[in-house]
Amino acid sequence: KEHRLHVDLYPGDRFFYFTTCGWMMWNWLVSGLASGATLMLYDGSPVYPDENVLFDFAAERGTQIFGTSAKFLDAAAKAGICPRKTHDLRSLRTLLSTGSPLMPESFDFVYGSIKEDICLSSISGGTDIVGCFVGGNPTLPVWRGEIQCRLLGMRVEVRDDEGVVLGPGEKGELTCSNAFPSMPVSFWNDSKGDRYRAAYFEKFPEVWCHGDYVATTQHDGMIVYGRSDATLNPGGVRIGTAEIYRQAEQVNEVVESLAVGQTWEGDVRIVLFVRLREGLTLNESLSEQIRDRIRQNTTPRHVPARVIQVSDIPRTRSGKIVELAVQRIIDGEPARNRDALANPEALDLFVGLSELQR
């Protein structure tokens, strides 16, 4: 269903997704064999010798379906490459992105610098289901900054904390209220099912709660604002971290950012960590530029109380930044599952920061 109908994958298509074997997207890619596709595999860095390397691969092999991450597209845009002018991408008809929310500016980059006549499908689901809840549709328009649609057979709804289904533009929890074939049915060493129910059905009985903070749109698409458990709550107002990243990472000097909420004086304040371009040092002028960008394009509540430079940001092996691990570190608690990280040593950069004490 996902490949044939939502991705527009045909027998004989050359199907590429940049992924490690440890990410669920590897399983998702290999499943393309069931549709008769030819899999395109790439082993190596996606940015060496530069950000053109995956487009070199796609052009040389005549790839029809090209899959990558939102972070890669952002890095390619910041590198200033323009594959539309330098590569023959006539065969390419679908570009897939997942791993984190795809920002509206990345839509601009794809259509302006990669290819004009392409279906850009931001997709979102989970390792738990080895599939998607929302994704692409080759028969629908692509709207800037939006995931096109809810997937067939998935009764995906947005709910508030009381379980009320919300309308377009109202932010809440991504839920699915019907069973589906790839839904896990149990956990190992959980004979009574307590951990299983707590993971998915504790918040809304009999309704799968996936843990993403989202909203539907007037086009019946969806926007993902981040993980629910990483949602910031200054002054009792819920803020998705992606709303902050979108603005902070538009500042030319900022390569990557990570936002967490720090308990402070009886409330929560937002702390934004930034990784800058090589050789740059954060000063008050750049800090204020980042804050101004966030303030002007969101709300005053989104503006971080502290902006702190770090040399690296911890991420999983599939490239997802880990806000919760950093949250635990700055709260003086040990981070869990360090072995699941691609760069666990990066967590040590957040220990005992003096900037967090004032």
Side-chain angles (χ1 to χ4, degrees):
K1 174 197 71 178
E2 292 186 13
H3 286 162
R4 298 299 293 271
L5 300 179
H6 289 280
V7 173
D8 201 27
L9 184 67
Y10 286 84
D13 277 348
R14 297 189 174 191
F15 182 24
F16 170 69
Y17 215 107
F18 183 78
T19 176
T20 65
C21 295
W23 190 18
M24 62 144 284
M25 294 309 296
W26 167 257
N27 305 74
W28 197 82
L29 171 67
V30 170
S31 299
L33 293 172
S35 295
T38 298
L39 305 187
M40 314 296 291
L41 307 181
Y42 183 86
D43 182 21
S45 168
V47 295
Y48 181 82
D50 60 35
E51 284 79 3
N52 277 303
V53 66
L54 294 185
F55 297 106
D56 296 341
F57 180 64
E60 291 168 4
R61 303 302 193 277
T63 302
Q64 278 88 23
I65 313 294
F66 181 100
T68 185
S69 67
K71 287 293 183 183
F72 171 77
L73 292 174
D74 182 56
K78 289 191 172 183
I81 66 171
C82 189
R84 179 171 61 86
K85 295 181 178 179
T86 56
H87 295 71
D88 181 0
L89 299 175
R90 283 176 293 180
S91 62
L92 190 61
R93 67 171 185 272
T94 301
L95 194 153
L96 305 169
S97 172
T98 195
S100 59
L102 187 64
M103 300 302 164
E105 292 77 13
S106 293
F107 283 71
D108 300 338
F109 170 68
V110 168
Y111 285 106
S113 298
I114 297 179
K115 196 176 184 184
E116 293 179 347
D117 57 334
I118 193 170
C119 183
L120 172 57
S121 296
S122 178
I123 63 178
S124 182
T127 300
D128 334 48
I129 67 171
V130 195
C132 303
F133 288 107
V134 289
N137 184 334
T139 70
L140 290 177
V142 175
W143 294 93
R144 182 177 185 263
E146 298 182 17
I147 299 175
Q148 285 176 284
C149 68
R150 290 169 264 204
L151 265 57
L152 295 169
M154 311 290 274
R155 193 177 299 131
V156 174
E157 297 155 325
V158 182
R159 297 172 187 267
D160 66 14
D161 288 340
E162 282 69 51
V164 176
V165 176
L166 301 175
E170 298 179 295
K171 299 173 185 176
E173 297 280 354
L174 187 153
T175 67
C176 186
S177 57
N178 68 302
F180 47 92
S182 63
M183 178 186 287
V185 295
S186 64
F187 288 166
W188 282 355
N189 300 320
D190 182 32
S191 58
K192 296 182 178 179
D194 294 337
R195 287 194 298 119
Y196 172 71
R197 285 188 292 274
Y200 306 119
F201 300 103
E202 188 171 68
K203 189 160 189 173
F204 308 118
E206 305 301 321
V207 174
W208 179 287
C209 184
H210 194 59
D212 282 341
Y213 188 53
V214 302
T216 56
T217 71
Q218 61 179 348
H219 309 115
D220 207 27
M222 185 165 284
I223 297 174
V224 179
Y225 294 98
R227 291 291 297 170
S228 299
D229 51 13
T231 299
L232 307 172
N233 199 27
V237 178
R238 293 185 77 183
I239 294 173
T241 52
E243 300 172 71
I244 295 175
Y245 301 152
R246 174 187 173 188
Q247 303 306 326
E249 293 173 18
Q250 291 305 303
V251 176
N252 187 54
E253 292 85 349
V254 178
V255 175
E256 194 173 27
S257 58
L258 181 148
V260 297
Q262 180 190 19
T263 301
W264 188 259
E265 296 180 351
D267 197 355
V268 174
R269 68 176 183 177
I270 298 174
V271 178
L272 180 67
F273 297 98
V274 294
R275 182 167 69 89
L276 303 181
R277 291 183 183 271
E278 189 172 353
L280 297 183
T281 300
L282 183 70
N283 54 32
E284 188 56 39
S285 174
L286 181 53
S287 292
E288 200 53 40
Q289 182 184 347
I290 294 169
R291 288 192 183 96
D292 283 346
R293 169 83 194 195
I294 295 170
R295 182 182 295 109
Q296 291 168 11
N297 293 282
T298 55
T299 73
R301 288 193 179 276
H302 288 71
V303 178
R306 290 283 181 271
V307 181
I308 301 172
Q309 181 178 1
V310 289
S311 58
D312 200 5
I313 287 178
R315 57 182 51 80
T316 64
R317 298 184 190 278
S318 60
K320 298 180 182 181
I321 61 174
V322 287
E323 293 111 331
L324 287 182
V326 172
Q327 179 80 63
R328 291 181 63 85
I329 291 290
I330 70 170
D331 284 343
E333 302 175 21
R336 299 168 180 165
N337 299 325
R338 290 178 67 106
D339 292 343
L341 301 183
N343 56 340
E345 68 283 353
L347 288 174
D348 300 331
L349 301 172
F350 298 84
V351 177
L353 291 172
S354 59
E355 296 95 328
L356 296 176
Q357 308 308 314
R358 59 180 190 272

